[in-house]
Amino acid sequence: MLKKIILIGSLLLSATSAFAIEPFVITDVKVMGNGRLDDGTIFNYLPLKVGDEVDDEEARHSIKALFETGFFRNVKLLKEGTTLVVEVEERPSIAKISLVGAKDIKEDEINGILANAGLTDGRIYNQKRMNEVISALTDAYFARGRYSASIKEDIQILDQNRARITLNIDEGRVATIENIDIVGNEAFSDKRLRRSMELTSSRGFGFGRRDLYSKQKLEGDQEAIRSFYNDRGYFDFDIRSTNVTISPNKQKITIFINLFEGPLYQMGKLSIEGGERLDLDKEDLLTKDKSRGLFSSKSVKGVFSRKTVSDIRAQISDRLADLGYGVATVTPVPKVDKAAQVVDVVFKIDEKQRLYVRQVDIIGNTVTQDKVIRRELRQLEGARFSAADVRRSQERLQRLGHFEQVSIDSIPVPGVPDQVDLLVTVAERESTGSINFSVGYGEEDGVIFSVGYDQRNFLGTGKEVAIKIDDSSVVDIWDLRYTNPYYTVDGVSRTFFLNSTKIDSEEAGTVEYYSDTFELGVSYRIPISEDNSVSFTLFGEDVELENSEDTPPELREFIDEHPDNKGLGIRTSIAKDTLNDFIFPTSGSRALASLEAMIPGSDLEYYKINFLAGHYLQLARSGLSVKVLGRLGYGGDYQTDQNLPFYKNYYAGGPSTVRGYSARSLGPKDSGLTPEPLGGDRRVLANAELLSPAFGGTNKKDKRLVAFFDAGMVYGPDEDMELGTLRYSAGIALQWYNILGPLSLSYAFPLNDEEGDKLQEFQISLGKLFR
């Protein structure tokens, strides 16, 4: 009969069992009770081996080691002669973990926390780790203001020593803020300070409530109050304490914020230290010259403002980066004169080494050739790094219209501290061109049957090839054009074009006539700077006119005298374009002055002068932009001092001019029995828009929402340009760039329509850019 002496048999690691006999030397080790784990795994975790002498201390140490694996609920060490017997009771394995009631914290997030704790299907269940997970989840709910949240664990033991775990989560209600008490403030009222906070006291229910308590939001509000005071001269401001109390039912929160305002400080002198290697007068970094910065050491006066100091620091850093010091550090050091209540600021510069660009790598372009991208880069390989050149390169690429997104990142070269590589990452648009057949609709032209090939990035070369055939109730158009944007290496572009246009104006809602126009020409665009260009177009034109039964008297005499008009014309313009995107600009400006005129000797010798000026302003951190645009047009006959030929008249009304009024409906009317719009030789248009990324903004920049205000009018030869006659409208629109091209849907409210005006609140436009 074998003698069995229990050495240690306790579930508690603090047990103090001892051997009842003298220590012995182990000649063999056996394992009993294990099912899931094999003997070898247990031997690996057991400190005692054959040949070791076992005593009380070694036994306690061995049991502790096996418990710490988390695999066992009970461990015993037994002696059979000189054989050490390890008797274990395994913890169950996890068959499945189910979550019930999780909404505020998503199930995927909770499952990730469980996985990080090693609590997943098939793993050994560990109660200690589960308790830690429950504690962490409870804290997470508390941080969301759910102080009544509770998490209960339900364990169901299955066959084969498996366990089904259910976490029953009662998230409770988010505690609402009953009151926010601010003490210590004298310069500003509680109401004014609360306006800078995101949290507020209870004000009812609804979407986007601000009275739901959150620890993170309170921390953000404390920082907002601190910034509010620091930007208004209170240098010594401090939040001495913040206390949050909760009602017994854990549903109501009261917040106490104790402030110390301190005295009001004035902005003192600005100066610069360091930067000995800079190749410019360091004080130039503090000038007001727009090419060098926004601030001036002389103009920064008044109360002290941390925001102003931060903006100046950013200004200096940007200027240093433009000079090639891309890793320079600028540290503002305030020097406080408490007696005078003045804060001087010293900007300490460590310019470090000047950076150079080793190489430029391009990724993401599956269609566009590398050379098309590289020719737009202003930051060149081997050249001194310039943040301004990098920004300019990114803007030029974005303005091509080939890419939805463009980013340029600088990457340090390992082992070479003064060199960086540039990584240009582009995401190509799906619809830079296509072969298509479509049936569309435009307010100006009615139902449009269109077939064509339009590719702005032909075979990835950046060249544009367009063949388009449009057939509608108003116009029949054949248009062919080919553009090489880099006809010369200096960026001179050349376009050949051929156009045939037939118009039946009866269907357009204007005066009735027929015209057949054929135009052939070549155009050159010459850049004169990064943003400015001039263009010159030479074209030949043949216009055939024909009366209809209802052509008004104003047109009949002209058509009878000029049924077929041939001539050679020029178009020339000077343009400035700093828009940041070709499709959906959000910042920058565009200005254009153009002249179209027929050369002397042509059958008709007319001219048209047009002016356009537009600006986009991006509103900081809101995702919104504001656009303002103005257009003026004036035309006439320079040889005979007659009117502009009627088929060259200006029109207004419709999606591209004044929305809410029918297309081409504004301005003079003919003298027929049913007067129709005649157009005019002068036009005034103005437009203001508030632009927002659609649906809150996405990474895919293909649509945006617009709130707009339009104004415009057309004037005839015998009319004065009285701005009081302008028509106004306001409304909303959705602009979407899809595979068919730019599409705009708008709903407008005419604001000052008069009797006889044709209104059309809902309008559609396809094919016109949103610039």
Side-chain angles (χ1 to χ4, degrees):
M1 171 178 150
L2 297 175
K3 291 185 178 180
K4 295 185 178 180
I5 300 177
I6 299 177
L7 301 177
I8 297 177
S10 174
L11 293 175
L12 300 176
L13 295 180
S14 60
T16 58
S17 297
F19 280 111
I21 62 173
E22 295 295 323
F24 68 98
V25 176
I26 302 171
T27 60
D28 193 14
V29 179
K30 292 197 308 183
V31 177
M32 298 176 61
N34 55 315
R36 183 175 181 273
L37 298 173
D38 57 37
D39 293 356
T41 300
I42 297 175
F43 290 154
N44 287 336
Y45 289 108
L46 181 68
L48 292 171
K49 310 295 181 186
V50 173
D52 292 344
E53 183 177 354
V54 62
D55 56 18
D56 290 352
E57 185 63 30
E58 291 295 333
R60 282 193 295 269
H61 175 66
S62 297
I63 289 178
K64 180 179 179 182
L66 291 176
F67 265 114
E68 286 180 346
T69 65
F71 297 152
F72 310 110
R73 287 193 294 186
N74 196 7
V75 177
K76 294 180 181 179
L77 296 186
L78 308 174
K79 177 185 177 186
E80 293 181 353
T82 58
T83 298
L84 181 66
V85 180
V86 182
E87 185 176 301
V88 298
E89 181 183 351
E90 293 179 333
R91 294 183 185 275
S93 62
I94 300 173
K96 183 175 180 58
I97 297 180
S98 301
L99 304 174
V100 178
K103 295 179 181 179
D104 193 4
I105 300 180
K106 303 302 182 184
E107 289 192 8
D108 288 345
E109 184 178 348
I110 297 176
N111 286 329
I113 296 173
L114 290 167
N116 290 335
L119 298 172
T120 56
D121 296 354
R123 301 287 293 274
I124 298 296
Y125 177 73
N126 188 310
Q127 184 65 57
K128 179 182 178 183
R129 292 182 180 177
M130 180 59 77
N131 292 339
E132 292 172 350
V133 168
I134 292 175
S135 178
L137 288 176
T138 302
D139 289 343
Y141 278 113
F142 285 1
R144 287 168 163 78
R146 296 182 179 271
Y147 290 99
S148 58
S150 64
I151 303 173
K152 295 181 179 179
E153 176 188 18
D154 180 33
I155 303 177
Q156 182 181 0
I157 302 299
L158 307 177
D159 57 359
Q160 299 179 352
N161 200 24
R162 296 177 303 131
R164 178 183 291 125
I165 314 297
T166 302
L167 292 182
N168 295 297
I169 301 173
D170 181 1
E171 295 185 328
R173 291 172 51 193
V174 177
T176 57
I177 301 170
E178 189 172 37
N179 195 24
I180 299 177
D181 289 334
I182 303 175
V183 297
N185 53 311
E186 297 180 359
F188 302 99
S189 67
D190 290 8
K191 182 178 180 180
R192 179 65 185 89
L193 295 179
R194 290 193 188 106
R195 285 208 302 267
S196 67
M197 301 175 63
E198 183 176 358
L199 294 176
T200 185
S201 56
S202 301
R203 298 190 183 280
F205 300 92
F207 178 77
R209 290 176 55 178
R210 296 167 52 202
D211 63 341
L212 303 181
Y213 175 75
S214 165
K215 180 180 179 181
Q216 291 86 347
K217 290 181 180 180
L218 179 57
E219 291 173 350
D221 283 345
Q222 291 179 73
E223 186 58 36
I225 295 174
R226 184 174 287 105
S227 297
F228 177 87
Y229 271 95
N230 289 161
D231 292 341
R232 288 162 176 79
Y234 292 88
F235 183 84
D236 293 334
F237 173 82
D238 188 28
I239 297 178
R240 289 181 165 171
S241 63
T242 302
N243 295 317
V244 179
T245 61
I246 188 167
S247 63
N249 65 359
K250 298 183 179 180
Q251 299 299 316
K252 296 295 183 180
I253 294 285
T254 299
I255 300 173
F256 297 90
I257 303 176
N258 184 15
L259 310 180
F260 170 72
E261 291 183 331
L264 184 67
Y265 285 82
Q266 300 294 315
M267 184 74 79
K269 296 180 181 178
L270 306 181
S271 59
I272 291 178
E273 292 182 1
E276 283 73 15
R277 288 179 292 173
L278 298 178
D279 53 359
L280 80 164
D281 185 346
K282 290 183 292 185
E283 292 303 315
D284 285 353
L285 296 171
L286 293 172
T287 62
K288 201 175 182 180
D289 181 10
K290 289 186 178 180
S291 66
R292 298 176 177 177
L294 301 175
F295 297 95
S296 167
S297 57
K298 295 181 180 179
S299 66
V300 180
K301 300 296 183 183
V303 298
F304 173 80
S305 169
R306 284 191 185 275
K307 183 180 184 303
T308 299
V309 172
S310 178
D311 289 343
I312 296 174
R313 186 205 63 79
Q315 162 194 316
I316 297 173
S317 295
D318 290 345
R319 177 63 172 148
L320 293 176
D322 293 346
L323 295 172
Y325 297 100
V327 293
T329 59
V330 180
T331 305
V333 178
K335 296 192 174 183
V336 184
D337 185 339
K338 290 187 176 292
Q341 295 181 1
V342 172
V343 180
D344 298 332
V345 182
V346 178
F347 295 92
K348 294 190 175 182
I349 296 176
D350 181 1
E351 67 271 33
K352 296 184 172 59
Q353 65 278 354
R354 177 170 274 170
L355 299 180
Y356 293 84
V357 176
R358 184 184 67 167
Q359 65 186 36
V360 177
D361 298 316
I362 301 171
I363 61 174
N365 53 319
T366 57
V367 176
T368 306
Q369 297 176 9
D370 275 15
K371 68 177 182 180
V372 175
I373 296 174
R374 290 186 182 275
R375 68 193 183 193
E376 301 297 332
L377 299 179
R378 292 302 177 259
Q379 175 65 71
L380 305 179
E381 293 178 334
R384 187 180 72 188
F385 173 85
S386 169
D389 289 342
V390 171
R391 288 194 301 272
R392 185 59 181 165
S393 300
Q394 183 170 343
E395 289 172 358
R396 289 181 65 88
L397 289 172
Q398 198 71 59
R399 286 165 55 180
L400 286 176
H402 305 337
F403 311 112
E404 284 189 2
Q405 290 183 323
V406 177
S407 64
I408 303 180
D409 300 306
S410 60
I411 302 172
V413 177
V416 187
D418 65 343
Q419 289 187 8
V420 294
D421 292 335
L422 292 186
L423 180 62
V424 181
T425 305
V426 299
E428 292 183 307
R429 291 189 186 274
E430 297 178 359
S431 55
T432 58
S434 63
I435 299 174
N436 63 75
F437 174 81
S438 64
V439 179
Y441 179 79
E443 299 297 347
E444 286 97 339
D445 301 318
V447 178
I448 303 170
F449 297 90
S450 177
V451 60
Y453 175 80
D454 188 354
Q455 177 56 263
R456 297 190 61 256
N457 189 14
F458 182 65
L459 299 179
T461 63
K463 298 176 182 178
E464 180 180 0
V465 176
I467 304 171
K468 188 174 183 181
I469 302 171
D470 285 348
D471 186 14
S472 74
S473 57
V474 177
V475 296
D476 183 5
I477 299 175
W478 291 66
D479 188 85
L480 294 83
R481 58 188 60 242
Y482 166 78
T483 300
N484 182 353
Y486 275 80
Y487 171 63
T488 71
V489 294
D490 298 323
V492 175
S493 71
R494 182 177 66 181
T495 299
F496 293 107
F497 61 90
L498 182 152
N499 179 279
S500 172
T501 303
K502 296 181 180 180
I503 297 177
D504 180 357
S505 65
E506 179 182 2
E507 302 295 332
T510 62
V511 290
E512 295 185 20
Y513 68 94
Y514 303 107
S515 71
D516 187 349
T517 303
F518 179 82
E519 189 177 85
L520 175 68
V522 60
S523 178
Y524 292 89
R525 177 184 174 276
I526 305 169
I528 55 179
S529 71
E530 282 292 314
D531 302 320
N532 303 316
S533 64
V534 296
S535 65
F536 180 82
T537 301
L538 180 66
F539 66 94
E541 184 179 71
D542 183 2
V543 181
E544 295 181 1
L545 303 172
E546 184 179 344
N547 290 313
S548 73
E549 293 182 358
D550 296 319
T551 300
E554 291 90 337
L555 273 61
R556 281 186 175 276
E557 182 178 353
F558 183 93
I559 294 175
D560 289 340
E561 292 180 2
H562 307 283
D564 188 3
N565 306 286
K566 296 181 175 63
L568 191 64
I570 60 169
R571 298 187 185 102
T572 185
S573 66
I574 182 168
K576 180 180 179 67
D577 190 342
T578 64
L579 299 183
N580 65 336
D581 190 86
F582 184 80
I583 304 297
F584 285 114
T586 57
S587 65
S589 301
R590 187 164 71 101
L592 175 71
S594 66
L595 167 68
E596 175 182 339
M598 300 303 293
I599 294 175
S602 301
D603 291 344
L604 296 174
E605 299 176 352
Y606 65 84
Y607 67 91
K608 295 180 73 174
I609 302 173
N610 295 287
F611 299 95
L612 177 150
H615 182 72
Y616 287 79
L617 176 65
Q618 197 159 15
L619 304 180
R621 294 184 291 181
S622 67
L624 302 175
S625 296
V626 174
K627 167 192 171 184
V628 290
L629 178 68
R631 287 177 283 175
L632 296 174
Y634 185 90
D637 187 310
Y638 63 84
Q639 183 66 26
T640 62
D641 198 26
Q642 294 182 353
N643 301 332
L644 183 70
F646 72 87
Y647 60 88
K648 289 292 183 178
N649 274 353
Y650 294 101
Y651 289 91
S656 59
T657 54
V658 185
R659 286 161 282 196
Y661 295 87
S662 295
R664 306 185 181 98
S665 66
L666 296 178
K669 306 290 193 297
D670 67 64
S671 58
L673 295 177
T674 56
E676 298 288 352
L678 186 63
D681 58 359
R682 288 156 295 159
R683 182 174 68 177
V684 177
L685 297 173
N687 164 249
E689 296 181 346
L690 179 65
L691 312 170
S692 170
F695 315 126
T698 64
N699 291 329
K700 188 175 178 62
K701 300 178 180 178
D702 62 349
K703 58 182 72 71
R704 67 184 178 188
L705 297 173
V706 180
F708 62 82
F709 174 82
D710 292 341
M713 180 52 73
V714 169
Y715 302 91
D718 300 325
E719 296 180 337
D720 294 331
M721 293 182 63
E722 296 179 357
L723 298 183
T725 62
L726 291 176
R727 297 295 190 270
Y728 304 103
S729 68
I732 57 175
L734 170 65
Q735 296 175 345
W736 177 27
Y737 192 91
N738 57 73
I739 196 169
L740 298 177
L743 171 67
S744 177
L745 307 175
S746 65
Y747 191 89
F749 302 91
L751 300 178
N752 64 334
D753 55 293
E754 297 185 2
E755 185 178 355
D757 288 346
K758 296 181 179 180
L759 308 183
Q760 192 173 52
E761 287 85 358
F762 179 72
Q763 295 176 323
I764 303 173
S765 175
L766 177 65
K768 292 186 180 296
L769 288 174
F770 312 129
R771 295 158 61 88

